[in-house]
């Protein structure tokens, strides 16, 4: 799909134009008119019209600034902090609830430990408790979230979830029943992570596509098109690529899946059976721990396996750019050596042609990724007023 900025104005409806303007504002946090026009590929006159409309809708805020040069802009525009979304995320063995503005910041966070293999009925019980606490918080403040998203691992549209073998129809009906008028989307954790990266300014909009891989409790990837619609990104459950026939048992029921070798859980086992403190995201502490436990070569071997799997994935998907988040980002030197070695063993062509980068680990940030995905869906849908723009076709995923 083409990035919004490449679509001609004539192809855009009002919803699309509002979406392009809001996305440009959101990506620059506080933007000036000319910059919005450039980013959204619209004339300044069109941007002015849309901004007036968004101002009336209470969607944007303007603050006066001293013109940086004669005739320069005298106001910066940001998305109103009063517009809020809700995010629910199942990650790090916990169910998190969040509420926040479109920037993805979490003003409200509530987390419940739920363990690694949550049954659907238990999810529903935990969700009911969490949503009751969240409702109390928003009611006290008179907040009405405009969009919600649930990010879960293993979610593949139209296919069985290998991690959470739940009844998808029951899940959609449950959410609709509990959330009433609040539109909600279900997405894969890695697609939500891609939204988090974009709104945190870590994913420049005009870039070529790259494979984004997240290595946490699970391992998943998605092909990120710079500036493209995130909700069209397809998740790849690369963690369930079998790399050793009859190998280690995986939570999906198969044996020898990549995840069983390189997940955070597998790392914790190597590092003496205790959980890694992921929330601190402290590179130095983890490197020190690896050095102390004398298990560097074992971790190196596991990262080579990750490289082999990535090489296999790149043989199928045409890109030579890979960005990795999650725990390997905390050991970037070791991870780069090992992954490049693995790539060399599986990639057709020169491993040196692959541009490998490590990005912010973003571990333990749940439910921020779900909040960012909800914000993306709200903006992509033209930031509808309640009962305003047509929402036909926006069915729960
Ligand atoms: Zn598996």
């Amino acid at each position: 799909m083409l990035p919004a900025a490449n679509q001609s104005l004539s192809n855009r409806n009002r919803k699309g134009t509002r979406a392009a303007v809001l996305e440009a504002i959101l990506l620059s946090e506080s933007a000036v008119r000319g910059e919005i026009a450039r980013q959204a590929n619209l004339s300044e006159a069109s941007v002015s019209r849309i901004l007036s409309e968004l101002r009336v809708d209470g969607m944007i805020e303007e603050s006066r600034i001293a013109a940086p040069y004669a005739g320069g802009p005298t106001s910066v525009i940001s998305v109103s902090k009063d517009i809020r979304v809700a995010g629910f995320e199942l990650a790090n063995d916990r169910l998190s609830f969040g509420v926040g503005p479109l920037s993805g910041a979490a003003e409200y966070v509530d987390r419940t430990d739920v363990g690694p293999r949550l049954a659907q009925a238990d999810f529903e019980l935990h969700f009911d408790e969490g949503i009751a606490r969240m409702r109390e918080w928003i009611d006290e403040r008179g907040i009405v979230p405009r969009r919600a998203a649930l990010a879960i691992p293993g979610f593949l549209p139209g296919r069985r979830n290998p991690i959470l073998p739940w009844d998808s129809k029951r899940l959609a009906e449950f959410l609709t029943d509990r959330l009433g008028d609040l539109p909600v989307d279900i997405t894969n954790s890695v697609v939500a992570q891609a939204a988090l990266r974009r709104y945190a300014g870590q994913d420049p909009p005009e870039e070529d596509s790259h494979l984004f891989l997240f290595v946490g409790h699970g391992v998943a990837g998605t092909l990120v098109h710079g500036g493209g619609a995130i909700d069209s990104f397809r998740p790849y459950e690369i963690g369930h690529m079998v790399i050793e026939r009859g190998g280690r048992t995986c939570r999906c029921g198969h044996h020898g899946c990549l995840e069983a070798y390189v997940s955070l859980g597998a790392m914790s086992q190597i590092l003496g059976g205790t959980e890694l403190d992921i929330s601190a995201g402290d590179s130095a502490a983890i490197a020190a721990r690896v050095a102390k436990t004398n298990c560097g070569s074992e971790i190196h071997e596991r990262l080579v396996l990750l490289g082999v799997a990535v090489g296999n994935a790149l043989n199928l998907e045409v890109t030579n750019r890979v960005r990795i988040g999650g725990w390997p980002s905390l050991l970037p030197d070791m991870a780069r050596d090992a992954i490049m070695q693995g790539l060399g063993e599986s990639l057709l062509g020169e491993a040196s042609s692959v541009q490998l980068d490590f990005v912010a680990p973003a571990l333990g940030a749940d439910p921020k990724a779900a909040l960012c995905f909800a914000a993306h869906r709200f903006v992509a849908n033209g930031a509808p007023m309640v009962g305003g723009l047509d929402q036909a076709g926006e069915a729960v995923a």
Side-chain angles (χ1 to χ4, degrees):
M1 178 174 287
L2 282 174
N6 292 350
Q7 294 170 7
S8 73
L9 179 56
S10 59
N11 286 339
R12 283 195 191 150
N13 52 18
R14 175 164 156 258
K15 186 168 103 172
T17 316
R18 279 171 68 106
V21 168
L22 273 167
E23 176 93 348
I25 300 171
L26 209 51
L27 286 175
S28 55
E29 274 180 41
S30 51
V32 298
R33 199 170 307 247
E35 192 190 320
I36 297 168
R38 189 187 59 78
Q39 274 210 28
N41 199 16
L42 293 163
S43 68
E44 285 207 35
S46 304
V47 169
S48 292
R49 259 200 315 279
I50 296 289
L51 288 178
S52 312
E53 192 183 296
L54 291 171
R55 202 178 299 116
V56 170
D57 291 352
M59 215 61 76
I60 54 167
E61 289 164 0
E62 282 180 79
S63 38
R64 295 272 146 207
I65 53 164
Y69 50 87
T74 53
S75 69
V76 292
I77 299 144
S78 53
V79 175
S80 167
K81 292 174 193 68
D82 295 335
I83 308 290
R84 299 210 181 56
V85 289
F88 319 117
E89 205 167 330
L90 199 51
N92 306 314
D93 295 347
R94 59 195 185 194
L95 177 62
S96 310
F97 291 75
V99 178
L102 297 178
S103 63
E107 294 170 325
Y108 171 83
V109 175
D110 174 70
R111 293 171 174 147
T112 305
D113 287 327
V114 294
R117 286 191 70 92
L118 187 61
Q120 188 160 12
D122 292 329
F123 164 79
E124 290 169 355
L125 287 175
H126 288 301
F127 191 90
D128 276 339
E129 289 168 12
I131 203 76
R133 288 191 294 270
M134 187 185 106
R135 192 152 276 147
E136 203 174 299
W137 187 88
I138 60 175
D139 286 351
E140 268 171 21
R141 288 159 183 80
I143 291 170
V144 181
R146 308 292 286 276
R147 188 116 200 162
L150 168 68
I152 55 175
F155 178 75
L156 300 165
R159 289 176 63 184
R160 177 185 156 271
N161 185 325
I163 310 299
L164 303 165
W166 298 351
D167 177 337
S168 54
K169 186 163 170 274
R170 172 173 149 183
L171 176 62
E173 285 172 0
F174 171 81
L175 291 175
T176 305
D177 179 66
R178 297 309 195 267
L179 299 174
D181 292 338
L182 176 62
V184 59
D185 301 283
I186 307 168
T187 191
N188 189 298
S189 307
V190 77
V191 175
Q193 287 285 346
L196 173 61
R197 291 201 55 232
R198 178 177 296 180
Y199 294 127
Q202 296 162 349
D203 179 23
E206 282 151 32
E207 252 187 31
D208 294 339
S209 59
H210 65 269
L211 178 67
F212 167 59
L213 212 62
F214 189 79
V215 190
H217 280 85
V219 186
T222 186
L223 194 67
V224 172
H225 311 279
I230 295 170
D231 40 12
S232 71
F233 293 177
R234 277 180 46 211
Y236 300 116
E237 286 297 323
I238 195 171
H240 301 284
M241 181 187 286
V242 174
I243 49 164
E244 186 179 358
R245 194 161 167 252
R248 296 165 68 94
T249 306
C250 179
R251 59 179 169 159
C252 75
H254 288 165
H255 293 270
C257 292
L258 177 68
E259 179 185 297
Y261 296 82
V262 304
S263 67
L264 265 175
M267 280 313 100
S268 295
Q269 276 180 13
I270 295 175
L271 289 167
T274 46
E275 271 286 301
L276 283 176
D277 181 12
I278 50 165
S279 54
D282 185 345
S283 263
I286 294 195
R289 191 151 163 215
V290 168
K292 205 170 86 186
T293 48
N294 209 12
C295 49
S297 61
E298 175 83 53
I299 293 177
H300 184 274
E301 281 307 301
R302 298 295 177 88
L303 287 163
V304 172
L305 291 176
L306 178 61
V308 169
V310 172
N312 283 328
L314 295 187
N315 286 336
L316 299 178
E317 190 71 65
V318 188
T319 177
N320 64 349
R321 252 187 166 156
V322 181
R323 301 242 157 109
I324 297 182
W327 74 262
S329 301
L330 299 170
L331 296 167
D333 296 337
M334 176 193 273
R336 176 176 301 281
D337 276 2
I339 291 169
M340 290 309 287
Q341 184 187 328
L343 275 172
E345 292 173 19
S346 64
L347 186 73
L348 301 170
E350 286 297 314
S352 59
S353 69
V354 174
Q355 193 185 322
L356 173 66
D357 292 300
F358 296 95
V359 299
L363 289 161
D366 46 304
K368 273 194 171 182
L371 282 168
C372 288
F373 188 80
H376 177 73
R377 291 287 294 142
F378 178 70
V379 167
N381 199 31
M385 296 305 293
V386 179
L389 290 178
D390 177 26
Q391 284 192 45
E394 300 293 336
V396 171

